[in-house]
Amino acid sequence: MENSKTLVLLVEDKENHIESVRKVFKLGCERIRLDVVRNLADARTHLKKFTPHLVIASYVLPDGKGIDLLSTHKARVPFPLLVLDKHGDTEVAVDVIKRGAVDYRVKSEQTLSDLPHICEKILREWGENRAQNRIHKQILVLSSVIQQISYSIIITDRSGDIEYVNPKFTQITGYTLEESIGKNPRFLKSGKLSPNIYQDMWKTIMSGKEWRGGFCNRKKSSELYWESAIISPIRDREGAITHFVAVKEDITEQKRTEEKLFQSEKLKSLGIVVSGIAHEFNNILAIIKGYAQFLEMYHQNESELKVGLSTISKASDDGAAIVRRMKDFVTADGSSMWFESVDINELIKHSIDYLMPKWKMIARGKGIGYKVDMKSLKDVSAVKGTPSELREVLINIINNALEAMPNGGTLSFRSWGKGKKVFVAISDTGRGMSEEVQKRMFDPFFTTRMPEGTGLGMSAVYGIIKRHNGEVSVESQLGVGSTILLELQATHKTVHSIISPRSINDEIGPLYVLVVEDEQETCQLLDKFFTKKGHNVKCVNSRNGAVELLKKEKFDLVLINVALKGDGEGGDLVKVFDSLDKRPKIGFMIDWRDKAKFMKSEHLKEDFVLRKPFDFSELSITIHVLFSNLGK
Ligand code: ADP
Ligand code: MG
C-alpha cells in the first residue's frame, strides 16, 4: 500500500551520494518510498504536490542551500528536515538548527550506514512533538473559551475549595481570582435560600450526579443577584471524583421581569376586587348620606339628633373620599382619548407650593428642616395626561417622602426625556423600604403607618400612572432613602399653562352655556354653578334637543354627557357644529370609568373633559383658560 509508506524526499545533486542513500534504504526499509530531486527549484515544486514525512537535503545545492527549503517567516515547520553537509561546521550546524531543521550531520560512511536509525528517531520525535502541540493547542482553545464565555465558571477541588474562577465570575460578583481561590463558594451566600437547597446540592454532586438549580447570591458590592447553575463532578481516569465544576448564568434581569409580571397580574386582580367593592360601597354611602341629609332637614330643631345626623353625613363623606381613592387604583382602558398636554415640571412646582406650607409648619413644630432640590428638573416635552390626576400622583409621592423623613431631610426631583417618554424621579433621604415593603407598596390598603395611613396613596398612584400608559417603580435602601420613578408618555402638543385657583378672577362672560344631560341632578348642579357665576344656562336632555336649540340660538360653551342614553348616533350634532359660524367650546362630561367610547366615531373634537363627580375649582380654571383669551 503506497499510502501507508513513509515518504522521504532526498534533495541531492551528487549522483554517487544519491546511489548510496538509495542502497541503504532499499536494504533496510521496504516501507520507505524515496523520491529524489536534484536542486532547490525541483524540491519546491515537489513539495507543492506532496508532503513528505521527512526531507533529507544536502547543505550545498546548485541553486542554493538545503536549509532554504524552510522559509524563515513560517512559524510552523511543515516537515522534519535533515541537513547533510560535506564538511562539518559548528556555525553552520547552529544556524541550520535555529532555522528549523531537526538535525545536521556530516556526510560520512558512518552517517550513511546509520541513516535508517537516524530517520526513524527523527520521525518518532516529530510525531510525539506534533501530538503534544495538538494538546497544547486544544488547551489554549479551551482556556480562551472559559475566559470569554458568558457564563461564570467555578472549579473547586473535591472538598469544595475554589481552584479557579473565570473572568465572567469576576465581572458578575466583583471578586477576583486571587480573592476567590481557596474559599468555599458558600462565601457568596446571601442567606436568602433555605439550607435544604445546599444540602440537596452536596448530596447530589457527592454521589457523582449532576445538580441543576438556582441561587440567590451576594456580590462584593453587597448587591443581590440570581443565577441558574449546573454543577457537575469531574472524574479522573479511574473514575474517582477530583473536582467539581459549576457553570452559572446570571438571571437577575429575567427574575425581575417575572416579578414585575407577577406584580402587575396581582394588582390587576386586586383591581377587579377593589372596583367591585368601591362600586357597592358607593351606593350604600349615597343612601346613608341621602337619608342623613333628608332627616337633618326635617329635624332642624332637635339639636341632639342634628349633631348625630351631621356626624353620619360627615362620616359618609369620609367614606366617599376613600372610595374615590379606591377607584383611582382601578385602571380603566381607553382613557387616553381625553388626555391633555401637561407641563410636568410646572405641575411639580405647583404640588410643592400646595404642600409645603403644611410641611413647613410640621417642621417648625418639631424643630427640623426639609430641603427641596429641583436643580435637576430638565426642560422636557409635555406629557399626555390629566392634570388633576397627575397632581394627585405627585402629592401622594411627596407626602410619603416627607413622612419617611421624620427627622428632616432632602426631597429632590429629577426629570429627563428619552425617546417618546418623559421620566420623573422623586427621591428622599428617609428611612427607606425593605424589599418586602417595596413589593407590596402599590397594593391597596397596604400601609406600615398604622393607624394614620390608609394605604391608598401608592395604589392610587399606580392606577393613575397605568391609566396614563406609564410605569411607576421604586428603588429603595433601608436607612438611606427611596426613589419613585415615573415614566410618562411625551406629547408635542402645546401646553395650556396650569393656573392655580388663586390667580383666577371670575370676570368672564356672561357666557351662554348649553348643558346636554339627561340626569336631572347634574343639570341642576351645573345650572346653579353657572348661574351663580353670572352666566346664562340652558339644559336639554337629549342630543336631538341640542341639535334643535343650536340651530336657533348661539352658545359659547356646550357641555355634553358623552354617555347620553338613546338618541341614535348623534351624528347630527357634528353637522350642526360644523355649520355654525362660530363653533362653541365643547366640554365632554365623562364618568370615572370612561365607558363612553362611541363619541370617538363622531369626529367631534372636545376642548376639555369634565370628570364626574365634578371638581368645580378645576372647572373654573378650565373656563378661565378657554375664555380669558376670548376676542384676542
Ligand atoms: P400610606 O401612606 O397611607 O401608608 P401609601 O400607599 O401612600 O400608604 O404607601 C404605602 C406604604 O409604602 C407606606 O406605608 C410606607 O411603608 C411605604 N412608603 C411609601 N413611600 C415611601 C417612602 N418614600 N419611604 C419609605 N416608605 C414609603
Ligand atoms: Mg401615603
Side-chain angles (χ1 to χ4, degrees):
M1 282 275 285
E2 194 74 358
N3 273 350
S4 62
K5 282 201 169 177
T6 306
L7 306 182
V8 176
L9 177 67
L10 178 65
V11 192
E12 174 63 85
D13 59 330
K14 304 282 176 308
E15 289 303 332
N16 57 342
H17 200 247
I18 295 174
E19 268 321 299
S20 315
V21 174
R22 274 216 172 104
K23 239 186 246 160
V24 167
F25 277 128
K26 252 202 196 113
L27 279 179
C29 340
E30 63 278 4
R31 290 190 57 246
I32 285 179
R33 192 188 94 186
L34 186 71
D35 291 325
V36 180
V37 290
R38 287 172 173 76
N39 55 47
L40 273 183
D42 287 352
R44 289 198 177 108
T45 317
H46 184 97
L47 286 169
K48 272 187 193 133
K49 284 186 251 165
F50 306 98
T51 312
H53 296 102
L54 171 65
V55 178
I56 304 171
S58 171
Y59 183 67
V60 180
L61 288 163
D63 53 351
K65 302 256 170 345
I67 188 64
D68 292 339
L69 284 172
L70 298 178
S71 54
T72 42
H73 54 271
K74 254 201 180 152
R76 200 173 84 85
V77 180
F79 46 77
L81 174 68
L82 166 61
V83 176
L84 298 180
D85 198 1
K86 212 157 97 189
H87 325 279
D89 182 327
T90 327
E91 244 169 71
V92 173
V94 170
D95 178 56
V96 159
I97 298 295
K98 231 192 221 164
R99 289 172 64 182
V102 289
D103 210 347
Y104 171 85
R105 301 263 171 158
V106 183
K107 286 180 191 169
S108 65
E109 283 298 316
Q110 175 72 27
T111 306
L112 221 76
S113 62
D114 265 359
L115 208 50
H117 290 122
I118 296 172
C119 290
E120 197 188 309
K121 186 168 162 265
I122 290 176
L123 285 168
R124 198 179 55 237
E125 283 174 3
W126 181 261
E128 280 169 5
N129 255 337
R130 278 256 276 254
Q132 256 172 19
N133 275 344
R134 212 169 31 238
I135 290 171
H136 184 67
K137 255 199 201 147
Q138 267 176 1
I139 290 174
L140 280 181
V141 170
L142 285 176
S143 111
S144 54
V145 166
I146 290 179
Q147 298 264 332
Q148 289 166 37
I149 203 166
S150 61
Y151 293 90
S152 60
I153 292 176
I154 305 178
I155 298 172
T156 74
D157 64 16
R158 236 191 93 80
S159 56
D161 291 339
I162 294 178
E163 287 192 354
Y164 175 82
V165 296
N166 71 343
K168 186 73 187 175
F169 172 91
T170 304
Q171 190 199 328
I172 293 176
T173 63
Y175 291 107
T176 61
L177 178 60
E178 291 73 33
E179 287 170 309
S180 312
I181 279 179
K183 290 200 179 123
N184 187 295
R186 78 168 79 89
F187 83 103
L188 298 164
K189 246 192 202 174
S190 64
K192 296 250 164 208
L193 298 181
S194 112
N196 293 345
I197 293 185
Y198 299 96
Q199 279 165 15
D200 172 56
M201 177 198 80
W202 273 112
K203 221 170 94 189
T204 310
I205 59 176
M206 287 307 277
S207 72
K209 287 195 219 103
E210 176 184 284
W211 184 86
R212 282 166 193 255
F215 294 112
C216 176
N217 284 340
R218 203 176 282 284
K219 300 183 183 186
K220 198 176 175 184
S221 64
S222 91
E223 193 186 333
L224 292 175
Y225 69 101
W226 285 88
E227 56 186 7
S228 76
I230 302 176
I231 304 179
S232 324
I234 307 290
R235 296 165 188 279
D236 62 14
R237 276 171 203 227
E238 281 75 48
I241 295 173
T242 57
H243 291 84
F244 297 107
V245 58
V247 181
K248 303 170 168 193
E249 188 181 11
D250 188 349
I251 52 162
T252 312
E253 239 357 89
Q254 201 179 319
K255 203 91 184 167
R256 282 210 186 114
T257 315
E258 273 170 23
E259 228 159 60
K260 255 194 200 156
L261 196 69
F262 173 76
Q263 176 96 335
S264 87
E265 286 301 317
K266 178 187 76 177
L267 291 171
K268 214 188 263 171
S269 45
L270 270 173
I272 296 170
V273 177
V274 166
S275 162
I277 298 175
H279 184 72
E280 295 302 319
F281 222 69
N282 217 20
N283 290 343
I284 295 166
L285 285 171
I287 296 168
I288 296 174
K289 171 94 180 165
Y291 275 92
Q293 279 178 326
F294 174 77
L295 289 170
E296 234 181 320
M297 259 177 350
Y298 288 96
H299 298 274
Q300 293 282 0
N301 303 326
E302 299 160 57
S303 64
E304 210 169 292
L305 193 57
K306 219 181 138 208
V307 170
L309 287 169
S310 100
T311 309
I312 293 175
S313 194
K314 171 86 183 42
S316 51
D317 284 346
D318 291 347
I322 290 180
V323 167
R324 221 171 26 247
R325 308 194 81 194
M326 285 165 73
K327 280 174 173 172
D328 271 336
F329 169 66
V330 181
T331 316
D333 301 323
S335 55
S336 57
M337 56 190 284
W338 314 113
F339 284 158
E340 299 163 38
S341 302
V342 184
D343 179 342
I344 196 77
N345 288 344
E346 206 178 339
L347 206 54
I348 289 172
K349 285 171 197 153
H350 278 275
S351 309
I352 292 280
D353 285 347
Y354 174 76
L355 289 174
M356 259 335 189
K358 171 186 150 196
W359 283 96
K360 282 222 173 95
M361 223 153 73
I362 295 177
R364 210 173 302 137
K366 293 210 255 173
I368 55 170
Y370 292 112
K371 243 175 68 186
V372 178
D373 177 358
M374 293 201 270
K375 284 193 299 290
S376 303
L377 287 181
K378 295 273 143 51
D379 262 342
V380 288
S381 315
V383 303
K384 280 187 218 167
T386 310
S388 58
E389 287 203 329
L390 291 177
R391 191 180 299 141
E392 162 105 9
V393 164
L394 292 168
I395 286 177
N396 276 318
I397 295 173
I398 296 169
N399 268 333
N400 282 344
L402 293 168
E403 268 152 10
M405 302 189 286
N407 303 317
T410 305
L411 178 66
S412 41
F413 295 85
R414 279 179 292 146
S415 62
W416 66 97
K418 194 175 168 198
K420 288 181 175 159
K421 305 261 164 73
V422 170
F423 294 85
V424 177
I426 301 139
S427 309
D428 63 62
T429 54
R431 70 171 79 89
M433 285 172 253
S434 68
E435 269 175 60
E436 191 54 35
V437 172
Q438 288 177 47
K439 268 187 201 154
R440 299 190 57 197
M441 74 180 300
F442 299 111
D443 295 2
F445 300 109
F446 172 79
T447 177
T448 55
R449 300 192 304 112
M450 288 296 232
E452 322 90 79
T454 57
L456 285 170
M458 289 313 289
S459 63
V461 167
Y462 178 86
I464 292 171
I465 293 297
K466 280 282 169 188
R467 201 144 57 233
H468 280 71
N469 301 315
E471 296 290 340
V472 50
S473 55
V474 57
E475 255 176 53
S476 183
Q477 218 177 323
L478 269 178
V480 178
S482 311
T483 297
I484 306 289
L485 179 67
L486 303 176
E487 177 188 320
L488 292 158
Q489 305 288 337
T491 172
H492 295 295
K493 278 205 249 167
T494 45
V495 192
H496 291 302
S497 88
I498 306 158
I499 298 170
S500 50
R502 278 173 251 133
S503 63
I504 289 181
N505 52 34
D506 268 322
E507 289 160 17
I508 283 174
L511 299 172
Y512 288 84
V513 184
L514 174 61
V515 178
V516 190
E517 169 63 278
D518 57 353
E519 261 177 43
Q520 199 63 29
E521 300 81 35
T522 309
C523 282
Q524 279 171 6
L525 205 61
L526 287 168
D527 189 356
K528 261 198 205 128
F529 170 77
F530 284 112
T531 311
K532 213 168 163 193
K533 303 234 167 205
H535 305 304
N536 304 300
V537 192
K538 286 211 168 148
C539 279
V540 290
N541 60 8
S542 70
R543 286 146 180 272
N544 286 337
V547 169
E548 291 312 311
L549 209 56
L550 279 163
K551 281 181 185 161
K552 281 187 267 172
E553 293 180 34
K554 277 190 182 165
F555 290 95
D556 301 305
L557 173 65
V558 182
L559 283 172
I560 307 164
N561 174 1
V562 293
L564 215 56
K565 293 176 199 87
D567 249 340
E569 284 297 296
D572 284 351
L573 208 51
V574 185
K575 271 189 221 149
V576 172
F577 280 124
D578 285 346
S579 72
L580 297 177
D581 296 341
K582 188 152 186 281
R583 184 180 173 279
K585 299 287 179 196
I586 298 169
F588 283 174
M589 295 186 281
I590 60 167
D591 145 313
W592 69 280
R593 281 185 209 244
D594 300 314
K595 49 193 164 199
K597 286 197 193 145
F598 62 87
M599 282 306 279
K600 216 176 185 174
S601 60
E602 282 190 32
H603 308 294
L604 187 57
K605 284 271 178 315
E606 80 284 3
D607 295 292
F608 67 98
V609 175
L610 196 56
R611 280 165 202 276
K612 290 180 181 177
F614 303 131
D615 175 346
F616 285 114
S617 63
E618 202 76 36
L619 180 58
S620 299
I621 298 171
T622 309
I623 288 171
H624 183 90
V625 171
L626 285 177
F627 294 100
S628 59
N629 293 333
L630 215 62
K632 269 187 201 163

